[in-house]
Amino acid sequence: MKVMIRFKFLIFFLLLSVATFAQTKEWIYIDKINFPAADSNYVQPFLCSMDVNDRLYVISSKVTNSHARNAIFYCDSNQTEFTKFVDFFEIGEEDSLTGKVYQLLGITNVGADIFVTARIPNQQVPAGASSAFYFKNADPSNYETFGYNIQGSGWGTTIHGVSATKDSVVLGGIPYQGPSYRFYNFATSRTTPARGSFFNMSSQPMDANGAHTGAFDMIRDCAVIPDGDYNDSTTVFFTSRNALSSTSMNGGISVWEGGTYTNPADYTSQKVIDALGLLQFDSSIPYGIAVDKKNHYLWVAGIDSLRRWVKGFSLLGTFATVADELPSSNSFDNPNPNGAPMVSPCDVAFSNDGNTAYVIDTYGKCAYKYIFADPSGVDDNDVLNYNFELGQNYPNPFNPTTTISYQMPEAGYVSLKVYDMLGREVSTLVNEYKTQGSYSVNFNASSLTSGVYVYQLKANGFTASKKMSLLK
């Protein structure tokens, strides 16, 4: 009898040990990935995706910056800088009477293939229509083009925030009779509808948050279950939508259920809610979303200044609770000094095993890399080695407040001051000893006049300055 009790206790202890070990794993911020210096003046990262080979793709878009170029960049797991895949301006496809791209609006991967959607230049279709590029096997010179008056059907509207099912069917958000959605066929084994055409709908279901206003407060990103069967009406998908204004209630997440991609009109949507109102969005864009393959959490990039986080939510029906989070030193509700200095996290992507994550920061113009691991087992060489760095303030231009971020590779005395264009000091933001890590500080210029100002960081012999514009 005693032997049996000891045996049961041993089993219990082993199970407890395994559970305890599993709980020691956490998301660890390990690296910052920058864009090439030659492209830094015109890149504006927007949405991202991950292919079957764990290659991260990011689109640069004019959606939030008219001076940016529409381009695609990628980064492999062993790289510390993005590589340019294609620049639509350089290949003559951007914003012209003959070009097919005005603003890139979405990106997804079908296996190792790349699929991007765009708005057709305004001078061609002022009312708005879409084009799409399908790059076969990630070859920038081997692509098909679809869209309004090009090939395929269902492109007479704008297609936002695309996501691909395991059956090579692409889902995108649309303003037509909505916000709503469309499914497009890119499966080589399916002949109906034709390749690059949408699955016909007998009616157009509308997002649970209500009709859009002038196509502004609309679906910005879509997320499917990576291994989900969309021939099964119980398999859901998600859409993310910005609000008309910071006080409007029509922004947030919707869950769609009850349909299939062959019978897409059967879907209905419900608004996803949470106890803290974390998923009640404002007018910022795009609030990128993704579902990881490992846990099927819905991950949301809270881009606005009252969030600055990326959180994973588990859902029970339409009620969401925070199940996980990628640490952010600038998080509005849960700052972590060891997290990435997120300023404007706009999208997130995960490796196929779910143990690596990337967060795209649109105004930070970078990606932050995380691994899910036991901190005690992570080699020091794998963890981010900070360099001295002074970030560009956000927002910029601003009125009257803005945020300035900086990084310290080692402890030291820090001075961060603001000067006018005549070199006169107008504010001291930091003047104290700081340990290694990433930091951010708010600057309130309500007492200053409109104009260009310079902020300067000094620490341990390092000096850097940047300009910012106050517009009242």
Side-chain angles (χ1 to χ4, degrees), residues 117-432:
T117 58
R119 180 185 172 101
I120 288 179
N122 283 349
Q123 57 264 51
Q124 296 182 31
V125 188
S130 281
S131 64
F133 286 73
Y134 190 105
F135 295 90
K136 298 178 180 179
N137 199 31
D139 182 350
S141 63
N142 183 17
Y143 61 85
E144 299 173 89
T145 309
F146 301 87
Y148 182 71
N149 285 337
I150 302 171
Q151 67 167 315
S153 61
W155 300 96
T157 181
T158 50
I159 315 295
H160 291 254
V162 289
S163 185
T165 73
K166 67 177 183 179
D167 302 309
S168 303
V169 172
V170 172
L171 165 70
I174 64 172
Y176 176 69
Q177 294 187 3
S180 190
Y181 58 88
R182 278 182 180 163
F183 286 93
Y184 290 83
N185 176 38
F186 284 93
T188 55
S189 59
R190 177 180 288 276
T191 57
T192 305
R195 180 173 169 79
S197 297
F198 75 125
F199 289 84
N200 285 308
M201 303 174 71
S202 57
S203 62
Q204 197 75 52
M206 183 182 292
D207 174 50
N209 290 286
H212 64 76
T213 306
F216 176 78
D217 47 335
M218 59 180 299
I219 291 171
R220 297 294 178 172
D221 200 12
C222 301
V224 300
I225 310 297
D227 50 0
D229 179 4
Y230 284 88
N231 270 316
D232 183 343
S233 61
T234 64
T235 305
V236 302
F237 68 86
F238 302 93
T239 56
S240 173
R241 176 179 175 182
N242 68 307
L244 178 63
S245 67
S246 59
T247 58
S248 174
M249 297 296 290
N250 61 350
I253 300 292
S254 292
V255 55
W256 300 75
E257 57 187 351
T260 65
Y261 64 74
T262 54
N263 293 291
D266 293 341
Y267 282 104
T268 59
S269 70
Q270 297 184 71
K271 186 180 182 69
V272 176
I273 59 174
D274 67 282
L276 300 176
L278 298 171
L279 299 178
Q280 185 59 55
F281 300 152
D282 74 6
S283 57
S284 304
I285 56 175
Y287 290 108
I289 57 176
V291 177
D292 71 79
K293 187 179 291 187
K294 182 170 65 174
N295 298 307
H296 288 179
Y297 292 155
L298 173 66
W299 291 84
V300 180
I303 187 174
D304 60 87
S305 60
L306 295 182
R307 288 172 175 77
R308 293 178 179 167
W309 47 245
V310 175
K311 297 180 188 287
F313 294 84
S314 62
L315 272 75
L316 180 61
T318 59
F319 187 78
T321 56
V322 177
D324 211 342
E325 184 167 4
L326 300 177
S328 165
S329 61
N330 291 334
S331 172
F332 187 80
D333 59 43
N334 187 29
N336 184 328
N338 296 318
M342 297 184 194
V343 174
S344 48
C346 57
D347 203 6
V348 59
F350 291 86
S351 60
N352 289 283
D353 64 7
N355 292 326
T356 304
Y358 296 88
V359 174
I360 309 303
D361 196 305
T362 185
Y363 288 104
K365 294 188 176 184
C366 65
Y368 302 116
K369 183 178 181 180
Y370 294 82
I371 59 171
F372 189 70
D374 182 343
S376 64
V378 176
D379 190 280
D380 289 341
N381 293 325
D382 293 331
V383 179
L384 175 71
N385 292 315
Y386 290 107
N387 294 314
F388 282 112
E389 186 170 318
L390 178 63
Q392 185 64 53
N393 66 300
Y394 173 77
N396 188 41
F398 67 99
N399 178 30
T401 61
T402 189
T403 299
I404 299 170
S405 298
Y406 62 95
Q407 291 186 167
M408 296 279 292
E410 59 192 29
Y413 196 83
V414 177
S415 169
L416 179 59
K417 297 183 178 183
V418 180
Y419 301 87
D420 64 19
M421 293 306 290
L422 296 178
R424 296 175 298 197
E425 180 182 327
V426 298
S427 181
T428 296
L429 303 180
V430 181
N431 190 28
E432 60 183 307

Side-chain angles (χ1 to χ4, degrees), residues 435-465:
T435 58
Q436 180 201 41
S438 57
Y439 297 90
S440 65
V441 60
N442 291 325
F443 172 49
N444 190 322
S446 57
S447 63
L448 302 176
T449 59
S450 296
V452 177
Y453 293 85
V454 175
Y455 57 99
Q456 184 181 72
L457 175 72
K458 291 184 177 181
N460 291 11
F462 171 82
T463 301
S465 301

